[in-house]
Every structure is written in C-alpha cells, then in structure tokens.
Amino acid sequence: GDTTGALASLERALTQDPTPQETAAIRRQRALIFLQTGRIDESIADAQFAAVAFREDWQVRNTLGFALLTKGNRAAAIEAFNDSLKRGQSAAAFFGLARAHSAEKRSSEARANIEKALAIDPTNTQFQQLRSQL
C-alpha cells in the first residue's frame, strides 16, 4: 500500500492529543510500517513502546523481533519471538526464530522452528525457501 500516506496519517493522529492507549496503538502500527520501509531503529523504538502498553499482543512482539533481527541483534530478536509465542502461536514467530537460529549456526533449532512455521502455514513460499536452505 501507500506507506508514505499511512505514515503521514499516523503522524497527524499523534498531533491530535491521543489518549495513552491510542498513542500506543498508533505507534504499534507505525512500527510495522517503519520495519517494512527499512527504518529499523524507529521500528524498534515504536514496537518497544507499544509492547509495554499491549502486554498480551503477540504481533507487536513479532514486529520487534524482525526489526531486531534486521539490525543484527539476534539474541534480543530470539527473546522477542519467544515472548510472542508465549502469547499465541504464530507462523511468523517460528519463521523469525528459524532465521535467527540459522544466522547463529544453530541448525537443529532452525530446522525445528521452520517445521513449526510450515505446520501452521504449509504453502508459504518464504518458509519453504528457508527450509530448503537449512
């Protein structure tokens, strides 16, 4: 979609005196857009902020995990993905763990996690591609 327009809309919303919960919701959305557009440090900051407000939200922890993994902070990414999985089963979290473990040369853990991701979403081509590389 139009990430520039979406970001502009979220920025406007932040200037309209949102409640603390609304601010956290806006920053949760913005974290994902920042991740998608390569603004990794901003994604991490917004995801961390939103994770405090939304204690049971597994999706924001996935966003944080992928941002941390992109930045190269594999240990913190693994922690974020595990934290996500405590709140709900997610193929994306298992995929993130598989990528992080693969980057750390922890092949058996990487394979186990990609199999869990594929059990949830067997037709995902990204998951299939990673499995073929492990």
Side-chain angles (χ1 to χ4, degrees):
D2 175 21
T3 56
T4 303
L7 276 175
S9 180
L10 293 171
E11 294 298 333
R12 272 193 309 279
L14 284 173
T15 67
Q16 296 173 359
D17 199 27
T19 66
Q21 194 74 2
E22 290 168 339
T23 298
I26 292 165
R27 291 187 69 179
R28 176 176 54 187
Q29 289 179 292
R30 200 172 63 171
L32 183 57
I33 295 170
F34 283 152
L35 175 62
Q36 293 168 339
T37 57
R39 294 168 66 177
I40 303 306
D41 290 333
E42 292 162 294
S43 177
I44 292 169
D46 275 358
Q48 287 173 328
F49 182 93
V52 171
F54 298 106
R55 297 194 183 283
E56 296 307 312
D57 186 333
W58 57 269
Q59 292 170 313
V60 73
R61 285 158 178 81
N62 280 351
T63 299
L64 178 59
F66 282 109
L68 290 164
L69 188 58
T70 300
K71 190 160 175 82
N73 191 341
R74 294 189 296 264
I78 289 169
E79 185 178 327
F81 291 127
N82 282 326
D83 201 26
S84 171
L85 288 167
K86 290 176 188 170
R87 289 159 172 78
Q89 294 293 302
S90 158
F94 286 123
F95 174 66
L97 280 172
R99 286 185 45 205
H101 287 138
S102 175
E104 290 198 331
K105 309 290 186 233
R106 294 162 60 184
S107 299
S108 63
E109 290 168 278
R111 280 192 293 277
N113 282 298
I114 200 61
E115 292 304 329
K116 290 176 185 177
L118 282 163
I120 296 168
D121 187 358
T123 61
N124 186 301
T125 55
Q126 274 189 306
F127 300 172
Q128 293 167 355
Q129 182 180 15
L130 180 58
R131 179 172 63 183
S132 72
Q133 295 168 356
L134 296 174

